[in-house]
Amino acid sequence: METTRLKMLKLLLLLTFTEMCAAQNDITLSVFTVTSKSMTVQWSGYTGASSYKITATPRRSPELPVFAHFSGNVVMGSIISLSPNTMYTVQIEAIDNALNVLSSAESEALTAPEVPSIEQAYSKHSDSITVEFTEVSGATSYILRAQSETGDFFSQTVVSGSPGTVVQLQPYTDYRLSVMSVNSGGPSQSSYPIKARTVVMAPKLNTTSPDNSTILVTWTPVENAVIYMLCIIREGSSSRVKLNTTDTMVTFDDLEAGITYCIKGTAWDSEGRAGEDLTVCQITRPRSPDGAFVQVMLGRSPSIVVYWVSVQGAESYLAWTTNGQNCTSLANSYCFITPMECGQNNSVSVTAYNNAGPSSPSQPTDYITYPCPPENIWVEEPEAGNCTVVWDEVPLVEFYIAFIKSDDGSETLCNTTQTTCQLSCKCGYTYLTTVFPYNQAGSSPYTRVRNYTTIPCCPQGVTIQLVSTETLEIMWTPVKGAELYETTAAQTNDVIHCNDTAPVCALSDLRCNTGYSVTVTPCSDLRGCNRTCTPHTHETAPCAPEILNLTQTNNSSYRVHFTTPNTPNTNYTIKVIGRHDTHTCQSRNGSCELTLLPCGSTYEVMAVATTTVGRSLPGYSKTLETGPCCPMYVNVTQVTQAMTNVTWSPGSGARSYITSLTSSRGYAKCHTLDTHCLMGCITCGTNYSVNLESVSSTGHKSECKYRGFSSSACCPTSMKLYRTANHSLRVSWHSLGPHTQNHTVELYGTGANYTCTAAAGSKYCDIREKTCGDVYKVVAAPMGQNGIKVSFCQPRRYSIPCPGSNAGMVISRRRRSVE
């Protein structure tokens, strides 16, 4: 049982493996080629096949299938006896030895159309043969085959139908020709071949027209040709002339001028066959143009217009002159010769041209051109105002017209057969002169223009003004014809100060207070300068005076001394300019006085001279410093009996001060930069005069006097304090100076303060004491006229015992002992 199961398993595996191999080796089929009645197919080999069977079955035909068998080692085979232009289904079957079909495949193929037959073949051109054949059903195109007899040439040409032409052949050569029909399945077999020969080449005609009635035809000999036939026909005509010849040159005479003739040439071979023909056309030369004439035209570009009568067959014309100029025309019967040369006496001829060549030239026509302009034109002026225009003589001239135009627009015309013309001319004008010569051709369209400028006129309206002390500005009205102006002054040896085109000049660096004679001379490049102009005189500004010195005449007046370098009657102005004010004085001599100059001021002093012409420059200035101002007030205050404090207000212009107090009993003096000073050496009860000097930074002094000063009364001396019999305290003293002041006494104690006043002349003062045994500070001082006591008297300290003591004891008195 197990053995049977194993055998069945092996059988299943073998069948499975066989099916796998069969699937991997399916047969394939393809059509290799077809003809009208056969088909060749190829297939892939199949493992295990002992033979192959091919069946071709028409798809839309009642015809029976066609079979073919092949052995198992064949992979390509053909089926015959098929119908032309028929679609077949082709099947292949792989068969084993037991006639079992192992695999199969199918394909479709269309057989070629029927084989056509050639009806005839002929050659009309030396490089081609035309084939006429029968057309067959189902053919979409045809293939023409051509092969040379020698076998060195073979070609196939595809045509759509009959007739067809094979090209690129050799002349007079034999070829074998056949035809095949073609559809989508492929080509049929070749038809039965026939022979045909190409014809000889056409002669290559070369034509020329030696004259307007002849055409010469030449060609090179054609190989295998025995005779040539030429046929000539006039363009636009149906008549023709034929000519047979064995030569290679023919002349056709008595032809019409300017007409195109077409010549066809054919070569014939020895068999009497006409070869390829070639037609060329040749025009005869045109006849000569007649009736040429010339017209001279003047315009922007002067030219000669040549006219002629058009001739038949002419394509272009050439007109040429005997002096070598020419012009051409294509469609018109005229042309322009430019540039036209003046003064020519020439002739012109016209020749017609076409492809054949030129005609004979026409008869020459004579002509002359307009005259040339005069080479030289000039103006002569033998005397002012009379001018003559002169020019060179010109050939071929009948008369001259001279135009003279002034730059103011006026014109003068002179018509003459001579070479001169009179002209009235004015100074300062430019004249444009030109001369036009005339003949029957007209006048020269251009001519030379000559300028002539008369001598410029003298300037008018000359004005001279002084623009600075040493410079004169001269201005004038421009004059005609002047291109340049020279300005000179006789006093400068006629040196040219200005050489300019502008109507203005400045004469600078002149001498002051001098009259100058100034001349303005107009000049032109062509005529030079007019040296006849009248001079104009003008004077320069006065010379500047110089200050010699300054002299102070009083506190506020100064006299200025200066030079007088100008002519008499020149006014001189002295001006002093300060920071805040200005003062002037005038004089015609060498001095001038300035008054009321304020103190403490610094001035710049300068002098200026004035004439009717103008003012001079200021002379070099000098500095004037007035004395410093005195202080507005001075105050003297007594500080001690022998010392005072003096104060004052600032004085304008003062840098330092010298103060002095002077009396018959002595004086005190102080020099300081301040406005106060402490002064000693003062005697009490004395009248002093107060003086002060203001001193500037440069040393200028101003003496100032003020109201006197009286020193205060002297402080009392030998002062004592003691108790009197009536038990009062008495202060006694000695007075210096006059006894005209009252005295006041003040006692300051620890227990009480006391005050008493002594009348003038009294030397003591009693005080009723309320307590005794006290220590007192005692001050005794005179009283001034204003009732104010002198404040600088020194106090003294006393000790007064109670009754029983004789006198007081002085305790302190400015470090002095007890009296």
mmCIF file with all atom_site columns, all heavy atoms in Angstrom, residues 128-145:
data_model
loop_
_atom_site.group_PDB
_atom_site.id
_atom_site.type_symbol
_atom_site.label_atom_id
_atom_site.label_alt_id
_atom_site.label_comp_id
_atom_site.label_asym_id
_atom_site.label_entity_id
_atom_site.label_seq_id
_atom_site.pdbx_PDB_ins_code
_atom_site.Cartn_x
_atom_site.Cartn_y
_atom_site.Cartn_z
_atom_site.occupancy
_atom_site.B_iso_or_equiv
_atom_site.pdbx_formal_charge
_atom_site.auth_seq_id
_atom_site.auth_comp_id
_atom_site.auth_asym_id
_atom_site.auth_atom_id
_atom_site.pdbx_PDB_model_num
ATOM 1   N N   . SER A 1 128 ? 17.152 59.354 -68.582 1.00 0.00 ? 128 SER A N   1
ATOM 2   C CA  . SER A 1 128 ? 15.982 58.671 -68.049 1.00 0.00 ? 128 SER A CA  1
ATOM 3   C C   . SER A 1 128 ? 15.330 57.803 -69.113 1.00 0.00 ? 128 SER A C   1
ATOM 4   O O   . SER A 1 128 ? 15.502 58.027 -70.315 1.00 0.00 ? 128 SER A O   1
ATOM 5   C CB  . SER A 1 128 ? 14.966 59.683 -67.511 1.00 0.00 ? 128 SER A CB  1
ATOM 6   O OG  . SER A 1 128 ? 14.451 60.470 -68.567 1.00 0.00 ? 128 SER A OG  1
ATOM 7   N N   . ILE A 1 129 ? 14.545 56.768 -68.615 1.00 0.00 ? 129 ILE A N   1
ATOM 8   C CA  . ILE A 1 129 ? 13.734 55.895 -69.476 1.00 0.00 ? 129 ILE A CA  1
ATOM 9   C C   . ILE A 1 129 ? 12.359 55.829 -68.861 1.00 0.00 ? 129 ILE A C   1
ATOM 10  O O   . ILE A 1 129 ? 12.213 55.626 -67.640 1.00 0.00 ? 129 ILE A O   1
ATOM 11  C CB  . ILE A 1 129 ? 14.337 54.489 -69.589 1.00 0.00 ? 129 ILE A CB  1
ATOM 12  C CG1 . ILE A 1 129 ? 15.687 54.549 -70.323 1.00 0.00 ? 129 ILE A CG1 1
ATOM 13  C CG2 . ILE A 1 129 ? 13.384 53.554 -70.316 1.00 0.00 ? 129 ILE A CG2 1
ATOM 14  C CD1 . ILE A 1 129 ? 16.398 53.211 -70.406 1.00 0.00 ? 129 ILE A CD1 1
ATOM 15  N N   . THR A 1 130 ? 11.325 56.004 -69.654 1.00 0.00 ? 130 THR A N   1
ATOM 16  C CA  . THR A 1 130 ? 9.949  55.918 -69.197 1.00 0.00 ? 130 THR A CA  1
ATOM 17  C C   . THR A 1 130 ? 9.392  54.527 -69.527 1.00 0.00 ? 130 THR A C   1
ATOM 18  O O   . THR A 1 130 ? 9.547  54.066 -70.663 1.00 0.00 ? 130 THR A O   1
ATOM 19  C CB  . THR A 1 130 ? 9.092  57.002 -69.856 1.00 0.00 ? 130 THR A CB  1
ATOM 20  O OG1 . THR A 1 130 ? 9.652  58.286 -69.499 1.00 0.00 ? 130 THR A OG1 1
ATOM 21  C CG2 . THR A 1 130 ? 7.661  56.929 -69.385 1.00 0.00 ? 130 THR A CG2 1
ATOM 22  N N   . VAL A 1 131 ? 8.754  53.898 -68.502 1.00 0.00 ? 131 VAL A N   1
ATOM 23  C CA  . VAL A 1 131 ? 8.231  52.534 -68.643 1.00 0.00 ? 131 VAL A CA  1
ATOM 24  C C   . VAL A 1 131 ? 6.717  52.583 -68.511 1.00 0.00 ? 131 VAL A C   1
ATOM 25  O O   . VAL A 1 131 ? 6.202  53.132 -67.518 1.00 0.00 ? 131 VAL A O   1
ATOM 26  C CB  . VAL A 1 131 ? 8.834  51.603 -67.580 1.00 0.00 ? 131 VAL A CB  1
ATOM 27  C CG1 . VAL A 1 131 ? 8.280  50.188 -67.743 1.00 0.00 ? 131 VAL A CG1 1
ATOM 28  C CG2 . VAL A 1 131 ? 10.349 51.593 -67.671 1.00 0.00 ? 131 VAL A CG2 1
ATOM 29  N N   . GLU A 1 132 ? 5.996  51.999 -69.468 1.00 0.00 ? 132 GLU A N   1
ATOM 30  C CA  . GLU A 1 132 ? 4.551  51.838 -69.387 1.00 0.00 ? 132 GLU A CA  1
ATOM 31  C C   . GLU A 1 132 ? 4.271  50.365 -69.095 1.00 0.00 ? 132 GLU A C   1
ATOM 32  O O   . GLU A 1 132 ? 4.809  49.466 -69.752 1.00 0.00 ? 132 GLU A O   1
ATOM 33  C CB  . GLU A 1 132 ? 3.889  52.263 -70.691 1.00 0.00 ? 132 GLU A CB  1
ATOM 34  C CG  . GLU A 1 132 ? 4.030  53.745 -70.984 1.00 0.00 ? 132 GLU A CG  1
ATOM 35  C CD  . GLU A 1 132 ? 3.331  54.149 -72.268 1.00 0.00 ? 132 GLU A CD  1
ATOM 36  O OE1 . GLU A 1 132 ? 2.735  53.262 -72.919 1.00 0.00 ? 132 GLU A OE1 1
ATOM 37  O OE2 . GLU A 1 132 ? 3.371  55.344 -72.614 1.00 0.00 ? 132 GLU A OE2 1
ATOM 38  N N   . PHE A 1 133 ? 3.381  50.074 -68.057 1.00 0.00 ? 133 PHE A N   1
ATOM 39  C CA  . PHE A 1 133 ? 3.103  48.710 -67.625 1.00 0.00 ? 133 PHE A CA  1
ATOM 40  C C   . PHE A 1 133 ? 1.644  48.605 -67.238 1.00 0.00 ? 133 PHE A C   1
ATOM 41  O O   . PHE A 1 133 ? 0.948  49.619 -67.053 1.00 0.00 ? 133 PHE A O   1
ATOM 42  C CB  . PHE A 1 133 ? 4.009  48.310 -66.453 1.00 0.00 ? 133 PHE A CB  1
ATOM 43  C CG  . PHE A 1 133 ? 3.955  49.291 -65.306 1.00 0.00 ? 133 PHE A CG  1
ATOM 44  C CD1 . PHE A 1 133 ? 2.999  49.197 -64.306 1.00 0.00 ? 133 PHE A CD1 1
ATOM 45  C CD2 . PHE A 1 133 ? 4.864  50.347 -65.248 1.00 0.00 ? 133 PHE A CD2 1
ATOM 46  C CE1 . PHE A 1 133 ? 2.954  50.097 -63.278 1.00 0.00 ? 133 PHE A CE1 1
ATOM 47  C CE2 . PHE A 1 133 ? 4.808  51.263 -64.214 1.00 0.00 ? 133 PHE A CE2 1
ATOM 48  C CZ  . PHE A 1 133 ? 3.857  51.135 -63.221 1.00 0.00 ? 133 PHE A CZ  1
ATOM 49  N N   . THR A 1 134 ? 1.223  47.336 -67.087 1.00 0.00 ? 134 THR A N   1
ATOM 50  C CA  . THR A 1 134 ? -0.162 47.089 -66.674 1.00 0.00 ? 134 THR A CA  1
ATOM 51  C C   . THR A 1 134 ? -0.246 47.234 -65.171 1.00 0.00 ? 134 THR A C   1
ATOM 52  O O   . THR A 1 134 ? 0.605  46.739 -64.435 1.00 0.00 ? 134 THR A O   1
ATOM 53  C CB  . THR A 1 134 ? -0.592 45.674 -67.086 1.00 0.00 ? 134 THR A CB  1
ATOM 54  O OG1 . THR A 1 134 ? 0.282  44.730 -66.473 1.00 0.00 ? 134 THR A OG1 1
ATOM 55  C CG2 . THR A 1 134 ? -0.567 45.487 -68.593 1.00 0.00 ? 134 THR A CG2 1
ATOM 56  N N   . GLU A 1 135 ? -1.271 47.903 -64.721 1.00 0.00 ? 135 GLU A N   1
ATOM 57  C CA  . GLU A 1 135 ? -1.479 48.048 -63.284 1.00 0.00 ? 135 GLU A CA  1
ATOM 58  C C   . GLU A 1 135 ? -2.333 46.889 -62.790 1.00 0.00 ? 135 GLU A C   1
ATOM 59  O O   . GLU A 1 135 ? -3.243 46.441 -63.499 1.00 0.00 ? 135 GLU A O   1
ATOM 60  C CB  . GLU A 1 135 ? -2.161 49.377 -62.977 1.00 0.00 ? 135 GLU A CB  1
ATOM 61  C CG  . GLU A 1 135 ? -1.288 50.568 -63.331 1.00 0.00 ? 135 GLU A CG  1
ATOM 62  C CD  . GLU A 1 135 ? -1.945 51.885 -62.953 1.00 0.00 ? 135 GLU A CD  1
ATOM 63  O OE1 . GLU A 1 135 ? -3.107 51.860 -62.495 1.00 0.00 ? 135 GLU A OE1 1
ATOM 64  O OE2 . GLU A 1 135 ? -1.288 52.951 -63.098 1.00 0.00 ? 135 GLU A OE2 1
ATOM 65  N N   . VAL A 1 136 ? -2.076 46.367 -61.583 1.00 0.00 ? 136 VAL A N   1
ATOM 66  C CA  . VAL A 1 136 ? -2.750 45.184 -61.039 1.00 0.00 ? 136 VAL A CA  1
ATOM 67  C C   . VAL A 1 136 ? -3.558 45.591 -59.836 1.00 0.00 ? 136 VAL A C   1
ATOM 68  O O   . VAL A 1 136 ? -3.281 46.602 -59.181 1.00 0.00 ? 136 VAL A O   1
ATOM 69  C CB  . VAL A 1 136 ? -1.735 44.090 -60.678 1.00 0.00 ? 136 VAL A CB  1
ATOM 70  C CG1 . VAL A 1 136 ? -1.005 43.588 -61.910 1.00 0.00 ? 136 VAL A CG1 1
ATOM 71  C CG2 . VAL A 1 136 ? -0.755 44.597 -59.636 1.00 0.00 ? 136 VAL A CG2 1
ATOM 72  N N   . SER A 1 137 ? -4.568 44.750 -59.522 1.00 0.00 ? 137 SER A N   1
ATOM 73  C CA  . SER A 1 137 ? -5.471 45.022 -58.402 1.00 0.00 ? 137 SER A CA  1
ATOM 74  C C   . SER A 1 137 ? -4.726 44.868 -57.074 1.00 0.00 ? 137 SER A C   1
ATOM 75  O O   . SER A 1 137 ? -3.940 43.930 -56.909 1.00 0.00 ? 137 SER A O   1
ATOM 76  C CB  . SER A 1 137 ? -6.668 44.062 -58.469 1.00 0.00 ? 137 SER A CB  1
ATOM 77  O OG  . SER A 1 137 ? -7.483 44.226 -57.334 1.00 0.00 ? 137 SER A OG  1
ATOM 78  N N   . GLY A 1 138 ? -5.036 45.733 -56.157 1.00 0.00 ? 138 GLY A N   1
ATOM 79  C CA  . GLY A 1 138 ? -4.472 45.679 -54.802 1.00 0.00 ? 138 GLY A CA  1
ATOM 80  C C   . GLY A 1 138 ? -3.106 46.308 -54.661 1.00 0.00 ? 138 GLY A C   1
ATOM 81  O O   . GLY A 1 138 ? -2.590 46.395 -53.543 1.00 0.00 ? 138 GLY A O   1
ATOM 82  N N   . ALA A 1 139 ? -2.482 46.717 -55.732 1.00 0.00 ? 139 ALA A N   1
ATOM 83  C CA  . ALA A 1 139 ? -1.148 47.326 -55.634 1.00 0.00 ? 139 ALA A CA  1
ATOM 84  C C   . ALA A 1 139 ? -1.266 48.776 -55.163 1.00 0.00 ? 139 ALA A C   1
ATOM 85  O O   . ALA A 1 139 ? -2.091 49.538 -55.658 1.00 0.00 ? 139 ALA A O   1
ATOM 86  C CB  . ALA A 1 139 ? -0.445 47.264 -56.983 1.00 0.00 ? 139 ALA A CB  1
ATOM 87  N N   . THR A 1 140 ? -0.486 49.101 -54.207 1.00 0.00 ? 140 THR A N   1
ATOM 88  C CA  . THR A 1 140 ? -0.441 50.494 -53.719 1.00 0.00 ? 140 THR A CA  1
ATOM 89  C C   . THR A 1 140 ? 0.691  51.276 -54.355 1.00 0.00 ? 140 THR A C   1
ATOM 90  O O   . THR A 1 140 ? 0.659  52.516 -54.355 1.00 0.00 ? 140 THR A O   1
ATOM 91  C CB  . THR A 1 140 ? -0.274 50.515 -52.193 1.00 0.00 ? 140 THR A CB  1
ATOM 92  O OG1 . THR A 1 140 ? 0.920  49.796 -51.843 1.00 0.00 ? 140 THR A OG1 1
ATOM 93  C CG2 . THR A 1 140 ? -1.465 49.864 -51.507 1.00 0.00 ? 140 THR A CG2 1
ATOM 94  N N   . SER A 1 141 ? 1.697  50.608 -54.874 1.00 0.00 ? 141 SER A N   1
ATOM 95  C CA  . SER A 1 141 ? 2.802  51.253 -55.575 1.00 0.00 ? 141 SER A CA  1
ATOM 96  C C   . SER A 1 141 ? 3.517  50.197 -56.402 1.00 0.00 ? 141 SER A C   1
ATOM 97  O O   . SER A 1 141 ? 3.198  49.001 -56.321 1.00 0.00 ? 141 SER A O   1
ATOM 98  C CB  . SER A 1 141 ? 3.775  51.913 -54.586 1.00 0.00 ? 141 SER A CB  1
ATOM 99  O OG  . SER A 1 141 ? 4.355  50.927 -53.744 1.00 0.00 ? 141 SER A OG  1
ATOM 100 N N   . TYR A 1 142 ? 4.493  50.712 -57.170 1.00 0.00 ? 142 TYR A N   1
ATOM 101 C CA  . TYR A 1 142 ? 5.247  49.813 -58.045 1.00 0.00 ? 142 TYR A CA  1
ATOM 102 C C   . TYR A 1 142 ? 6.715  50.164 -57.931 1.00 0.00 ? 142 TYR A C   1
ATOM 103 O O   . TYR A 1 142 ? 7.092  51.319 -57.636 1.00 0.00 ? 142 TYR A O   1
ATOM 104 C CB  . TYR A 1 142 ? 4.782  49.953 -59.495 1.00 0.00 ? 142 TYR A CB  1
ATOM 105 C CG  . TYR A 1 142 ? 3.316  49.620 -59.677 1.00 0.00 ? 142 TYR A CG  1
ATOM 106 C CD1 . TYR A 1 142 ? 2.343  50.596 -59.523 1.00 0.00 ? 142 TYR A CD1 1
ATOM 107 C CD2 . TYR A 1 142 ? 2.914  48.314 -59.980 1.00 0.00 ? 142 TYR A CD2 1
ATOM 108 C CE1 . TYR A 1 142 ? 0.999  50.287 -59.673 1.00 0.00 ? 142 TYR A CE1 1
ATOM 109 C CE2 . TYR A 1 142 ? 1.567  48.013 -60.130 1.00 0.00 ? 142 TYR A CE2 1
ATOM 110 C CZ  . TYR A 1 142 ? 0.613  48.990 -59.983 1.00 0.00 ? 142 TYR A CZ  1
ATOM 111 O OH  . TYR A 1 142 ? -0.713 48.700 -60.115 1.00 0.00 ? 142 TYR A OH  1
ATOM 112 N N   . ILE A 1 143 ? 7.550  49.142 -58.164 1.00 0.00 ? 143 ILE A N   1
ATOM 113 C CA  . ILE A 1 143 ? 9.002  49.320 -58.136 1.00 0.00 ? 143 ILE A CA  1
ATOM 114 C C   . ILE A 1 143 ? 9.539  49.043 -59.522 1.00 0.00 ? 143 ILE A C   1
ATOM 115 O O   . ILE A 1 143 ? 9.336  47.948 -60.072 1.00 0.00 ? 143 ILE A O   1
ATOM 116 C CB  . ILE A 1 143 ? 9.659  48.396 -57.106 1.00 0.00 ? 143 ILE A CB  1
ATOM 117 C CG1 . ILE A 1 143 ? 9.150  48.714 -55.678 1.00 0.00 ? 143 ILE A CG1 1
ATOM 118 C CG2 . ILE A 1 143 ? 11.174 48.525 -57.158 1.00 0.00 ? 143 ILE A CG2 1
ATOM 119 C CD1 . ILE A 1 143 ? 9.665  47.768 -54.619 1.00 0.00 ? 143 ILE A CD1 1
ATOM 120 N N   . LEU A 1 144 ? 10.204 50.093 -60.084 1.00 0.00 ? 144 LEU A N   1
ATOM 121 C CA  . LEU A 1 144 ? 10.863 49.939 -61.369 1.00 0.00 ? 144 LEU A CA  1
ATOM 122 C C   . LEU A 1 144 ? 12.318 49.614 -61.125 1.00 0.00 ? 144 LEU A C   1
ATOM 123 O O   . LEU A 1 144 ? 13.004 50.321 -60.359 1.00 0.00 ? 144 LEU A O   1
ATOM 124 C CB  . LEU A 1 144 ? 10.751 51.221 -62.193 1.00 0.00 ? 144 LEU A CB  1
ATOM 125 C CG  . LEU A 1 144 ? 9.337  51.673 -62.579 1.00 0.00 ? 144 LEU A CG  1
ATOM 126 C CD1 . LEU A 1 144 ? 9.406  52.974 -63.374 1.00 0.00 ? 144 LEU A CD1 1
ATOM 127 C CD2 . LEU A 1 144 ? 8.642  50.602 -63.388 1.00 0.00 ? 144 LEU A CD2 1
ATOM 128 N N   . ARG A 1 145 ? 12.802 48.549 -61.765 1.00 0.00 ? 145 ARG A N   1
ATOM 129 C CA  . ARG A 1 145 ? 14.196 48.148 -61.633 1.00 0.00 ? 145 ARG A CA  1
ATOM 130 C C   . ARG A 1 145 ? 14.894 48.396 -62.968 1.00 0.00 ? 145 ARG A C   1
ATOM 131 O O   . ARG A 1 145 ? 14.355 48.100 -64.033 1.00 0.00 ? 145 ARG A O   1
ATOM 132 C CB  . ARG A 1 145 ? 14.319 46.676 -61.262 1.00 0.00 ? 145 ARG A CB  1
ATOM 133 C CG  . ARG A 1 145 ? 13.970 46.404 -59.792 1.00 0.00 ? 145 ARG A CG  1
ATOM 134 C CD  . ARG A 1 145 ? 14.193 44.931 -59.466 1.00 0.00 ? 145 ARG A CD  1
ATOM 135 N NE  . ARG A 1 145 ? 14.004 44.695 -58.043 1.00 0.00 ? 145 ARG A NE  1
ATOM 136 C CZ  . ARG A 1 145 ? 14.155 43.515 -57.454 1.00 0.00 ? 145 ARG A CZ  1
ATOM 137 N NH1 . ARG A 1 145 ? 14.464 42.436 -58.202 1.00 0.00 ? 145 ARG A NH1 1
ATOM 138 N NH2 . ARG A 1 145 ? 13.982 43.370 -56.167 1.00 0.00 ? 145 ARG A NH2 1
#
